Amino acid sequence: MAVPDVAHGAAPVDPVTQQTLARHRVRFLTSSSLPMDAAVRRPILASWRRSVEMHVAADEVNPILTVDPELDTPLTRAAAPVLQRLFSVLDGQPVSIVLTDRHGLVLSRLTADHALERRLDGVGLAPGFNYAERSVGTNGIGTALEVGAPTHVFGHEHFAERLEDLACAGVPIRNPVTGRTVGLVDLTCWQKNAGSLLMVLASTTALAVQESLTSQAGAHERELLDEYLRACRRTPGIVLAVSSTVGMLNDYARKALSAVEQSHLLTHAREALAAGRRESVDVDLPGGVEFRMLIHPVGEPGPTAGLVVRVVRREGSVPGQRSAADRPARPLPGLVGTGPLWLHACAQVEQHYLAQEWLAVLGEEGVGRLSVLRAVQLRRQPVPRLVVLDGEQSGPDEWVRPLREAVRLRTSNLVLQHVDRLTSPQLRSTCELLRELRDAPGPTPWAAVTLGDPHDRPDLQELMRLFPGTTYVPPLRLHAGDIPALTRHFTRRSSDGSVLDWSGDAMQVLIRATWPGNVGQLHQVVRWVMARRRSGVVEPAHLPAEVRSISRRSLNVLESLERDAIADALADAHGDRGVAAAALGMSRATIYRRIRTFGIVDPPG
């Protein structure tokens, strides 16, 4: 299989020049703040803040050295043939292949270019050194491990200035049975040579290492994993698997259920395993939804046995419809959508509000967490207004001072947004002030926090204990039926009086898109289209490359990256498949096949 020239492809699209980014970095290091319009990617800015909090040096690189590290591990043995194959195919390109453990300790490095190898030696990117964020700040290894997702860091996005001439793409490697991160594959090259497929190749390599790990798993683990994956392919809904040492949930379950609900399901499944049950089990989750667990035993009864469980909603049980209190009597003001999961989230927020129980609202960025809270406040208590503080936009003083003032006045309900972006000192101050608000005599204002996954930040647990209620707002892809109504709503809001219609084909493209940015991304797409087409009918060709694919099946992370790379290349080539194929290092036959597979629509001529 031919590997594209990752070190000399088209550079990734960057909204600012490296020089502008360098100025933003200097300003951040000197003032710990940036202007609202500073075009620094959100994950990078969050990482810069973490680096400052951990007192990482910005003017030097001093990775932590482990004396006599254990480099011969199951991960290195599984990864060795995969990395060696990639190394031989890269054929002297200035790209270094790095393998680390889950803590950022470099286990191996393969570099064919002598100049790049000397450079990496100079900054300690070598076996035995640790490249976690706490060691060297923002970088493709440490930041990817910190956020638990594929991450690229280019040039001046690095926290340490000595890394500014490098570019890196890191992808976590997950245990195929437990799903936990066990290590990371990183590709590093010169920043000036960074190609658009660096991340795609890193993802491909990480996936190949995971497959190698699968082949090393024990027979009982492999049998359980095979049955689990088979069930995931056959079932579009919730699937889980448990054994004495393993607990797995598919992506649908992780997105559709709150962390509390996931824990309840896994607990019920383990109880069923311990009791030797082989029949269906009915369970009631905290959100008021009744489910049935369809159990499939795997292996012989005993310590190596396991269960694969499909979870379906019991007939007549609909989220938010168990009692009248579980659902709003009428739609919340200003909100659009009728999807069951969306309505269930709205009902839960309102229920916690009526009970005056402090609430943690979880969900991905852009799902509408703050919108739901504002809508509930508007309907139930329009005066006084809701006080909203944003942890993402606030420095230390800008956060603590208004929070202390709100606690002193005690007259308004309070929403603390993006609390997972706060520093540890800010979290400690927040906990102290909220306890003061809660424990003071007299009526206590209602409070809510919004965040992603609290398990990503262990230091959030003290804060979370102050918020006994939890509601999960689903991502847009889990209530995609609301996309037409949302699209029309955003079109009306953005219209200056002109008439713009959306064709059925264009709407189908929007419905089938993955929407990693959720409702916020859909709003931006509508604005993008309306800036270029003020009247008439919107067709698929008028949509931006990020959504111009119509896939008949769900795509995994690697396929999504490949689809986006092809769509962007086609847009850059004005639809010329030959030019796009050459830019991506693909043959014409391959790009034609992938276009059909992903259903990519030609860009407008």
Side-chain angles (χ1 to χ4, degrees):
M1 179 184 69
V3 175
D5 188 343
V6 297
H8 294 89
V13 177
D14 192 342
V16 295
T17 64
Q18 283 291 322
Q19 290 75 18
T20 302
L21 184 58
R23 289 196 296 271
H24 286 323
R25 176 182 168 279
V26 170
R27 174 167 177 172
F28 176 84
L29 292 174
T30 55
S31 66
S32 297
S33 64
L34 288 175
M36 293 292 292
D37 60 347
V40 178
R41 292 190 293 131
R42 183 173 296 162
I44 299 300
L45 182 57
S47 178
W48 286 358
R49 287 172 174 163
R50 291 192 298 269
S51 302
V52 168
E53 181 188 339
M54 293 182 290
H55 305 290
V56 177
D59 58 349
E60 57 185 3
V61 180
N62 291 312
I64 299 170
L65 174 63
T66 300
V67 179
D68 194 22
E70 178 57 57
L71 302 180
D72 183 17
T73 67
L75 174 61
T76 54
R77 290 192 292 271
V82 176
L83 303 186
Q84 192 59 51
R85 284 197 301 269
L86 175 61
F87 180 65
S88 62
V89 172
L90 286 176
D91 191 26
Q93 290 191 50
V95 179
S96 182
I97 309 165
V98 178
L99 178 73
T100 80
D101 69 5
R102 63 190 179 93
H103 302 296
L105 173 68
V106 178
L107 300 175
S108 70
R109 188 191 74 190
L110 297 172
T111 312
D113 182 80
H114 295 303
L116 180 60
E117 186 170 37
R118 288 193 299 272
R119 184 71 180 89
L120 299 184
D121 286 342
V123 294
L125 184 49
F129 288 90
N130 191 294
Y131 251 69
E133 276 193 345
R134 63 185 173 85
S135 182
V136 296
T138 307
N139 72 95
I141 294 172
T143 305
L145 290 172
E146 183 71 28
V147 303
T151 301
H152 66 269
V153 179
F154 290 91
H156 293 283
E157 290 181 330
H158 287 94
F159 186 76
E161 65 182 24
R162 287 193 62 201
L163 301 176
E164 63 190 14
D165 58 343
L166 300 174
C168 45
V171 180
I173 302 167
R174 304 193 186 280
N175 184 294
V177 177
T178 65
R180 296 190 179 96
T181 298
V182 295
L184 174 136
V185 168
D186 168 80
L187 298 184
T188 295
C189 66
W190 300 111
Q191 190 278 326
K192 63 183 180 181
N193 298 139
S196 59
L197 292 186
L198 196 68
M199 177 62 76
V200 177
L201 187 55
S203 297
T204 306
T205 306
L207 185 61
V209 174
Q210 288 177 187
E211 292 173 350
S212 181
L213 285 170
T214 301
S215 66
Q216 291 186 355
H220 300 297
E221 291 179 328
R222 286 202 302 271
E223 183 180 7
L224 180 63
L225 179 60
D226 289 343
E227 290 295 332
Y228 167 73
L229 294 176
R230 189 175 296 113
C232 289
R233 288 192 295 268
R234 293 175 177 174
T235 305
I238 299 170
V239 179
L240 59 94
V242 295
S243 70
S244 59
T245 58
V246 169
M248 296 181 285
L249 283 163
N250 67 346
D251 286 341
Y252 185 95
R254 296 182 185 279
K255 302 302 183 183
L257 303 174
S258 69
V260 174
E261 290 169 329
Q262 294 173 32
S263 177
H264 272 256
L265 275 181
L266 287 172
T267 299
H268 280 291
R270 288 195 171 99
E271 290 175 350
L273 176 65
R277 293 178 183 169
R278 293 176 174 261
E279 70 280 2
S280 300
V281 177
D282 292 336
V283 297
D284 296 340
L285 295 187
V289 187
E290 302 170 2
F291 284 105
R292 175 160 294 162
M293 301 173 62
L294 307 178
I295 294 175
H296 173 66
V298 178
E300 296 298 324
T304 61
L307 296 180
V308 172
V309 181
R310 292 188 298 112
V311 183
V312 297
R313 190 171 292 117
R314 287 172 58 186
E315 186 175 353
S317 174
V318 178
Q321 292 190 357
R322 202 172 182 191
S323 68
D326 288 332
R327 65 181 188 274
R330 59 190 186 279
L332 290 171
L335 299 187
V336 176
T338 58
L341 292 174
W342 168 252
L343 292 179
H344 179 45
C346 294
Q348 279 194 318
V349 172
E350 189 165 25
Q351 185 178 349
H352 285 289
Y353 184 93
L354 293 173
Q356 287 296 285
E357 182 179 53
W358 285 14
L359 176 66
V361 183
L362 311 183
E364 299 175 8
E365 193 67 28
V367 295
R369 296 167 297 188
L370 180 60
S371 297
V372 175
L373 290 167
R374 288 189 186 279
V376 169
Q377 167 83 7
L378 181 61
R379 179 152 85 186
R380 296 295 178 178
Q381 192 181 357
V383 178
R385 297 179 61 186
L386 197 67
V387 172
V388 179
L389 301 179
D390 191 344
E392 185 177 47
Q393 303 295 335
S394 303
D397 293 337
E398 292 86 350
W399 174 262
V400 175
R401 190 186 311 113
L403 177 57
R404 182 177 289 113
E405 180 67 12
V407 169
R408 185 185 68 81
L409 295 175
R410 300 176 58 83
T411 56
S412 301
N413 292 328
L414 183 65
V415 171
L416 307 183
Q417 199 177 9
H418 298 119
V419 293
D420 46 350
R421 312 287 172 81
L422 296 175
T423 65
S424 293
Q426 285 176 315
L427 284 173
R428 288 192 291 270
S429 300
T430 300
C431 290
E432 294 173 2
L433 289 169
L434 289 176
R435 280 193 289 267
E436 178 183 334
L437 178 65
R438 181 196 61 186
D439 298 337
T444 300
W446 186 64
V449 293
T450 74
L451 66 158
D453 187 347
H455 295 94
D456 291 342
R457 289 277 304 273
D459 55 349
L460 277 171
Q461 297 312 307
E462 182 183 359
L463 177 67
M464 294 299 291
R465 282 192 286 271
L466 298 174
F467 294 83
T470 301
T471 293
Y472 179 82
V473 179
L476 182 57
R477 59 186 173 275
L478 295 185
H479 60 110
D482 291 332
I483 288 177
L486 286 165
T487 302
R488 290 189 288 269
H489 170 72
F490 291 140
T491 302
R492 289 192 297 269
R493 278 180 50 182
S494 303
S495 175
D496 57 359
S498 57
V499 178
L500 187 65
D501 294 324
W502 298 77
S503 71
D505 289 342
M507 201 63 74
Q508 284 302 309
V509 171
L510 297 180
I511 289 173
R512 295 177 183 178
T514 55
W515 298 113
N518 296 292
V519 179
Q521 183 186 4
L522 175 61
H523 191 191
Q524 292 300 317
V525 166
V526 172
R527 294 175 61 184
W528 187 93
V529 171
M530 295 190 70
R532 292 158 177 78
R533 189 171 184 83
R534 308 188 191 284
S535 61
V537 178
V538 178
E539 298 292 349
H542 301 131
L543 299 174
E546 63 188 283
V547 296
R548 277 193 295 104
S549 73
I550 307 174
S551 177
R552 292 179 172 82
R553 61 183 175 86
S554 298
L555 304 180
N556 60 34
V557 174
L558 177 59
E559 290 172 325
S560 298
L561 290 170
E562 185 179 6
R563 177 204 60 195
D564 293 348
I566 293 173
D568 289 342
L570 284 169
D572 292 341
H574 304 290
D576 189 315
R577 288 164 166 78
V579 173
L584 295 172
M586 294 180 175
S587 68
R588 282 176 174 267
T590 298
I591 198 169
Y592 273 93
R593 184 169 62 252
R594 305 312 282 166
I595 288 171
R596 288 194 299 271
T597 299
F598 298 139
I600 298 172
V601 180
D602 283 337

